[in-house]
Amino acid sequence: MNITHLPTISVLSDSVTIAQLDDVKIVRIIHDKAEAAISLHGAHVLSFTPKGQDDLIWMSKEAIFNPEKAIRGGVPVCWPWFGRIANPAHGFARNSTWTLIEHRENENGVMVVLGLEASEETKTIWPFEFEARLTVEIGDQLTITLDAKNTDDKAWNCSGALHTYLNVADINTTTITGMGSSYIDGLLEGKVCSGGDTLSINAAVDRVYTQPENTVLISDTQRTLSVTNSGHNAAVIWNPWAEGAESMGDMNNDGYQTMVCVESTYHAASLETAKVIQPNESFVLSTTINA
Ligand code: TA6
């Protein structure tokens, strides 16, 4: 995604500016090691381009950058739940406006911290106090860490995902390893299935792999991307294929050919069975992506 031409609103440091992208404000990072963009709407990483590489992150050509809508592409922050176990789908974090808390930089890269706290609005959806921080480290690699602290006086349950859309040269010649073999198939009403160690995609895929290795590798004809997760209990792999792409108003019809989602996920079948976080404890989920 080209971020250099976007109009600057304010200059925060040598490497960090705030810029305008349609109806959302973004934190734009231009550093010797990499360029990146993070939307304050959703704390959503939109782009990560290490020096000498093409963008590792896929963004829909028809993505809508508007506070009313989740962004199609990038790294949606799905929290306090992943999936459709409650409303809205994938939680409210990706549709909330986050605040820039901190930014730091040195010769190795830039760190940006965004924050979101409980408000009257979040409490109408999920009636708990919390303090969430999304730390994005941009350098030779990209690390995204969600830390959601329970600031309530009672325990709450949550799940979540860092729903990364990766760029691939051609999905038809891409192979994925490290996701394990056991999965819950979202296209077969949640049937538990077993597959091989290597996944090639030539139709729609929507799977929750429940015994992944910490690192998943995605190889196309041009490069291998590595996704290393922690705090997860699953790796979700998703590609909507042609019909799925056509049915989404914010995805270009051929978009499925150059993307695959590989998601650092804490999966739960319901909010009641999701991870219990006691007062003063945190739910922490992270993903590191490099080429
Ligand atoms: O992570 C896979 C998934 O849950 C799929 O089921 C698919 O619907 C996708 O996320 C996108 O969800 P969204 O709500 O962004 O359209």
Side-chain angles (χ1 to χ4, degrees), residues 4 32 43 73-74 79 83 97 102 113 116 126 144 153 178 210 212 239 245 249 276:
T4 44
D32 284 347
W79 190 81
T97 302
E102 191 187 347
V113 183
L116 179 70
W126 192 64
I144 305 172
D153 53 13
T210 49
N239 182 301
V276 179

Side-chain angles (χ1 to χ4, degrees), residues 70 72 82-84 89-90 94 163 165 206 236 238 248 263:
R72 180 69 59 203
F82 165 78
R84 286 164 182 76
H90 290 322
R94 65 176 180 163
H163 191 306
Y165 288 71
D206 189 356
V236 170
W238 179 59
M248 281 180 271
E263 309 167 29

